[in-house]
Amino acid sequence: ADFSLYKPNTIQRRIERRMQIHEITTFDDYARFVGRNAPELDLLYRELLIGVTGFFRDPTTWDHLAENIIPAILERRRVSRSLRIWVPACSTGEEAYTLAMLLIEGMERAHPRWTGAIQIFATDLDPDAIERARRGLYPAGIAADLTPERLNRFLEPEDGFYRVNKQVRSLVVFATQNLISDPPFTKMDIISCRNLMIYLGAELQGAIIPLFHYALNPGGALILGNAESIGGHRELFEAASSRDRIYVRIGGDERRGTRDWQPGTLGTMTTRRPDEPDPVEPAGNLRALADRILLQRYSPAAVITNGTGDIIYVNGRTGDYLEPAAGKANWNIHAMARDGLRSPLTAAFRKAVAARAAVRLPGIEVLAAGRPLVIDVTVDPVSEPGPLAGSVLILFSPVAPGPRRRRAPGPVDPKAVGAIEDELARTRDELETTREEMQASLEELKSTNEELQSTNEELQSTNEELTTSREELQSMNEELQVVNAELNARLEDLVLANSDMENLINSSEIATVFLDGGLRIRRFTSSAVTLISLIPTDVGRPLSDVTMDLEYPNLLEDAAQVLRTLVIVERQVTSRTGRWYSARIVP
């Protein structure tokens, strides 16, 4: 897997955690350590795939989905049509099974006679997680995440665990998939990708959202994590619940962001903006090549702008009518229009946008490079549905100069002409001042908007970092819980084995004393008390400090010899009461 487009901070934290475990101080040393130890590379890989999930995680999200989104999707579906859901980065499958439970409940409420199929495709990069998800076996602790009704209906107890029943498991298909390089699923009604993008960089986040738009049906729902959003792709999705991060796909059946997509190139995928025209067909297509030549040579100069006048496409040569404004680069039509064209074009643009109808300006005189030009201008809002909906087409058509008409003779009042010229000059100054003020206000608004966007991005990045840290802490907590459970199980096994051994020794009725390497008492059987004066507090005392009824003066020397040679020693000894015993000292 390629983690180059993941957030560097997340990668660094996971690597530093592995370094702390192995007590390695520098990244270079850890890199050499990984190069020499293949198992460590596998462990690091699993460490980077932070698989934190659960049933009905963030309950308000699932409540909104069950009460609003699922009924709306079912309402649009015919009874016999199938429902398709995709859960990328499904980890161990809890979220996919949660969706299956909600769909079963939703169909029973909305369509009791539903005959269509439900297809839930759950994918993840980690094959081990997919294998666990397929088994559908979860620890008993999940009972806290489900209501008793759902627990009894959808899961079955099995040896201290819970297994998802066949009704739910039959709806979900699990498969390994690399979301970055593998082709996506299509024609989906719901996509649930929660808490994946918080680990990805901005470039990869910006490419995944258009991919989800392509994969969804019109009106389909996209569910993201609490710290995630669609970013700047407002033209692709609208919020159904901003608090719960549920979005609805905008647009018809057109598929955006797919022409330049090839398997393995998601990270560098270029997405087609709604305001961009379709690219020209390859040169091998004769019709497309002919259309291209005709458009270049015979179509009028034109620009396409958005609703505020920002230029998004230029066709032909427009240098005689538009020029870049001085100062900061500004591709707005009102700032780039040449002298003589700016004022009437601004008025016509506003009128065309407000009335949603074409406005024609005949015989406009424009001063281009010191020479006057006469042009006809048409401002026409684009009303056709599709990617260019809401944009404005502006056409520039030069007018051939006609014969000058001779002015009719008559007296002219110089004072009246001067007054008119002065009034016209004042009006032009006022218009120019108004335009400059409007332009300055527009620049201030843009600057404020950019600052707000930057602040929002910083807040979102901080929120993602906090969510990532919480996910990592939860992952570590789950690992500690697993280790603790294993230790408890081993402790229980040890206690049981110890009890069995004591029962076995006591049932043999053989007086037995266990000594450590320093000949100190570790434990003894109840039968040993009849020969050696032992009480429970004697554990840990040297055997030489304890009195005994045996006539065995060389007991300690024989015990030391057995420790040294590991050879069994057997003696026949008597007690003070005259009874004989067989003494065996065993290493």
Side-chain angles (χ1 to χ4, degrees):
D2 183 6
F3 293 96
S4 60
L5 295 178
Y6 276 48
K7 287 186 177 178
N9 291 341
T10 302
I11 301 295
Q12 182 175 344
R13 281 197 300 270
R14 308 310 285 181
I15 293 176
E16 288 176 348
R17 182 170 181 268
R18 298 302 306 171
M19 291 170 59
Q20 292 174 358
I21 292 174
H22 296 289
E23 298 181 352
I24 298 176
T25 57
T26 66
F27 288 103
D28 292 338
D29 292 342
Y30 182 70
R32 287 190 290 269
F33 177 75
V34 171
R36 296 191 302 266
N37 297 271
E40 175 63 21
L41 182 61
D42 185 62
L43 290 173
L44 177 62
Y45 172 75
R46 297 179 187 281
E47 191 84 16
L48 296 174
L49 299 177
I50 304 172
V52 178
T53 184
F55 287 96
F56 292 93
R57 191 181 184 196
D58 302 322
T60 58
T61 300
W62 301 109
D63 292 343
H64 184 87
L65 194 67
E67 295 171 4
N68 300 285
I69 302 300
I70 290 179
I73 291 177
L74 292 175
E75 188 66 27
R76 292 196 301 268
R77 284 282 176 268
R78 294 192 299 271
V79 174
S80 59
R81 286 198 57 181
S82 63
L83 219 61
R84 292 167 59 86
I85 297 94
W86 181 21
V87 186
C90 68
S91 188
T92 49
E94 288 92 330
E95 189 166 307
Y97 288 132
T98 298
L99 272 169
M101 296 176 193
L102 288 181
L103 287 169
I104 292 173
E105 295 173 346
M107 286 189 303
E108 289 177 349
R109 291 192 299 266
H111 294 281
R113 298 181 181 177
W114 180 276
T115 59
I118 298 178
Q119 298 174 316
I120 301 178
F121 303 95
T123 62
D124 196 272
L125 186 62
D126 187 358
D128 292 337
I130 289 296
E131 187 60 31
R132 290 180 58 189
R134 287 191 181 120
R135 290 197 298 267
L137 191 65
Y138 300 99
I142 65 168
D145 300 329
L146 294 100
T147 62
E149 294 78 10
R150 285 172 174 159
L151 189 67
N152 294 330
R153 178 179 179 183
F154 298 120
L155 292 103
E156 300 171 350
E158 182 178 318
D159 298 332
F161 292 84
Y162 281 102
R163 187 183 294 275
V164 180
N165 64 19
K166 292 183 179 180
Q167 181 188 16
V168 178
R169 290 167 61 193
S170 63
L171 303 182
V172 187
V173 177
F174 291 98
T176 55
Q177 183 202 39
N178 189 329
L179 183 63
I180 299 175
S181 59
D182 294 337
F185 292 87
T186 57
K187 298 183 178 179
M188 294 290 127
D189 296 293
I190 299 174
I191 294 179
S192 178
C193 182
R194 305 179 70 230
N195 300 321
L196 167 66
M197 292 196 297
I198 56 175
Y199 304 113
L200 309 180
E203 179 183 359
L204 198 51
Q205 289 185 17
I208 286 179
I209 295 299
L211 183 71
F212 288 157
H213 181 274
Y214 165 73
L216 281 168
N217 286 323
L222 172 64
I223 311 168
L224 300 178
N226 286 339
E228 300 169 336
S229 70
I230 59 173
H233 298 284
R234 303 294 175 184
E235 76 281 2
L236 302 181
F237 292 93
E238 63 180 357
S241 174
S242 299
R243 182 191 65 179
D244 299 317
R245 300 295 192 269
I246 300 177
Y247 303 89
V248 176
R249 182 190 190 274
I250 299 176
D253 287 331
E254 74 278 359
R255 302 290 177 180
R256 305 178 186 178
T258 60
R259 298 192 178 197
D260 300 329
W261 180 84
Q262 294 294 335
T265 61
L266 179 57
T268 57
M269 182 177 91
T270 57
T271 56
R272 191 71 56 198
R273 286 172 36 188
D275 48 26
E276 286 183 64
D278 289 339
V280 178
E281 297 290 334
N285 189 323
L286 183 60
R287 178 179 177 180
L289 183 60
D291 291 343
R292 179 180 178 182
I293 295 175
L294 291 173
L295 286 172
Q296 289 178 346
R297 296 188 181 182
Y298 299 103
S299 64
V303 296
I304 297 177
T305 71
N306 58 17
T308 60
D310 294 325
I311 298 174
I312 56 180
Y313 183 79
V314 178
N315 180 72
R317 297 181 178 273
T318 59
D320 289 340
Y321 323 116
L322 306 174
E323 64 175 346
K328 183 181 178 180
N330 188 350
W331 290 93
N332 190 279
I333 190 70
H334 307 298
M336 295 184 65
R338 287 186 178 273
D339 293 339
L341 176 62
R342 184 176 298 119
S343 296
L345 179 60
T346 299
F349 188 91
R350 294 177 180 172
K351 183 178 179 180
V353 171
R356 304 302 301 168
V359 176
R360 188 169 183 273
L361 301 174
I364 301 297
E365 292 187 1
V366 181
L367 189 63
R371 57 188 178 88
L373 295 176
V374 180
I375 61 173
D376 291 340
V377 180
T378 302
V379 182
D380 187 6
V382 178
S383 58
E384 291 81 359
L388 291 177
S391 57
V392 180
L393 173 65
I394 303 176
L395 298 171
F396 305 97
S397 302
V399 178
R404 294 182 176 268
R405 291 184 299 173
R406 299 181 62 182
R407 184 176 297 176
V412 177
D413 187 355
K415 294 183 178 180
V417 173
I420 292 173
E421 290 178 349
D422 291 342
E423 182 68 23
L424 181 60
R426 284 195 300 271
T427 303
R428 286 178 176 174
D429 291 341
E430 291 174 359
L431 287 174
E432 184 66 20
T433 302
T434 303
R435 187 192 67 80
E436 292 177 354
E437 292 176 353
M438 183 185 68
Q439 191 65 30
S441 300
L442 183 61
E443 292 291 340
E444 292 177 359
L445 289 175
K446 285 185 176 180
S447 176
T448 304
N449 186 40
E450 291 175 356
E451 292 176 0
L452 290 175
Q453 287 181 349
S454 176
T455 303
N456 184 42
E457 291 175 357
E458 292 176 0
L459 290 175
Q460 182 176 345
S461 177
T462 303
N463 191 24
E464 290 177 354
E465 289 290 339
L466 291 174
T467 304
T468 302
S469 300
R470 186 189 67 181
E471 298 277 356
E472 294 175 359
L473 289 175
Q474 184 173 346
S475 176
M476 294 174 62
N477 186 38
E478 291 176 354
E479 293 174 4
L480 291 175
Q481 288 178 351
V482 172
V483 173
N484 187 39
E486 292 178 354
L487 291 176
N488 286 333
R490 292 182 180 179
L491 181 60
E492 291 176 359
D493 293 341
L494 182 60
V495 171
L496 183 60
N498 188 36
S499 177
D500 291 342
M501 186 182 70
E502 288 186 356
N503 291 334
L504 175 62
I505 294 174
N506 290 331
S507 64
S508 66
E509 298 182 353
I510 298 176
T512 307
V513 179
F514 294 85
L515 305 179
D516 61 13
L519 301 182
R520 290 180 292 269
I521 299 171
R522 291 181 55 186
R523 67 173 62 191
F524 53 88
T525 63
S526 58
S527 301
V529 178
T530 60
L531 298 176
I532 304 175
S533 300
L534 294 172
I535 58 176
T537 56
D538 288 334
V539 174
R541 292 178 59 191
L543 183 61
S544 59
D545 293 349
V546 181
T547 61
M548 59 184 69
D549 292 338
L550 294 175
E551 297 292 343
Y552 192 176
N554 297 328
L555 174 60
L556 296 179
E557 289 79 1
D558 289 346
Q561 178 184 345
V562 170
L563 280 178
R564 186 174 62 255
T565 63
L566 302 180
V567 177
I568 298 174
V569 172
E570 293 189 13
R571 296 281 189 270
Q572 300 294 325
V573 298
T574 62
S575 66
R576 293 173 182 171
T577 60
R579 300 187 63 180
W580 285 86
Y581 293 90
S582 174
R584 301 179 75 244
I585 304 177
V586 181

